Amino acid sequence: MTHITCSRELAALLNDSSPATPEDATETPIDWVDGLWVNGDTYDVDAAATTSNRLAFADGSAAVEWKPAGSDCWGSTNPCGHVPGRPDARERAHWVPASTAEWACAHDNVGVSRDWRTVNVWDANGYTDTTVYDTVAEAEAAAEREVAALAEICSEHHTDED
C-alpha cells in the first residue's frame, strides 16, 4: 500500500502490519497522535477523536476501531468481511472502519458514500462532489440529506416495475 484514502484501506494496513518491537505491541492509537507514517507520508491524527481503540485522521478521511477477538461485527454498518486464506475476522482481533455508510440508486447510477467525516456524492458519468465536515454527526446529517434528495429524484423517474 502506498497511501491511505479511506477507512477500509487504513483497516487493511493495520490488520496486515506486525509490531516491530515488543514495545510497539503494547501501543494503542493514543500513542500515535504525532502521526502515522506510511510509505514516506505522515498522516496527521485527530487527537480529540482518537482513543485507545479508535484511530481517526485529522483530515476526516478515515477512522478505524479495534475489535477484540470474538467480537461480532457482521450485520453492522461496518462489516468485518472475510479475507480468503485467513481465519474468519471474528476469530481474531482486528481493525474495522469506524463509521461508514453507502447508498446507491441502481436505476440512475447515482449514490452517496460517507466515510467518517467525509461525504461523497457521485454518479456514473464521472460527477463527484466530496465534502469533509467538522464532525461525524454533521457528516451523517449531510449524507442523509443527499440520500433523501437523490432517492426522491430516483423514485420520480422509476416505478417498482422498472
Side-chain angles (χ1 to χ4, degrees), residues 107-108 152-159 162:
H107 295 297
D108 291 329
E152 184 176 334
I153 293 167
C154 193
S155 69
E156 289 173 359
H157 293 109
H158 304 283
T159 65
D162 284 343

Side-chain angles (χ1 to χ4, degrees), residues 102-105 108-113 120-129 150:
E102 299 204 22
W103 175 87
C105 173
D108 291 329
N109 292 314
V110 297
V112 178
S113 301
N120 180 262
V121 179
W122 57 269
D123 73 19
N125 293 320
Y127 171 80
T128 186
D129 179 51
L150 289 175

Side-chain angles (χ1 to χ4, degrees), residues 11-38:
L13 174 75
L14 293 173
N15 287 332
D16 289 341
S17 299
S18 297
T21 67
E23 293 79 21
D24 290 345
T26 64
E27 290 184 351
T28 71
I30 292 172
D31 299 307
W32 308 334
V33 294
D34 288 334
L36 187 67
W37 186 80
V38 177

Side-chain angles (χ1 to χ4, degrees), residues 66-148:
W66 180 249
K67 295 287 185 177
S71 295
D72 187 4
C73 47
W74 291 99
S76 72
T77 57
N78 301 305
C80 301
H82 175 73
V83 178
R86 291 195 192 162
D88 186 41
R90 292 173 289 181
E91 295 174 10
R92 59 183 172 80
H94 57 285
W95 293 95
V96 298
S99 181
T100 62
E102 299 204 22
W103 175 87
C105 173
H107 295 297
D108 291 329
N109 292 314
V110 297
V112 178
S113 301
R114 185 186 56 77
D115 189 349
W116 194 238
R117 295 185 298 124
T118 301
V119 176
N120 180 262
V121 179
W122 57 269
D123 73 19
N125 293 320
Y127 171 80
T128 186
D129 179 51
T130 302
T131 305
V132 178
Y133 292 87
D134 290 335
T135 67
V136 173
E138 289 174 4
E140 289 171 337
E144 288 175 14
R145 285 190 304 273
E146 295 289 356
V147 167

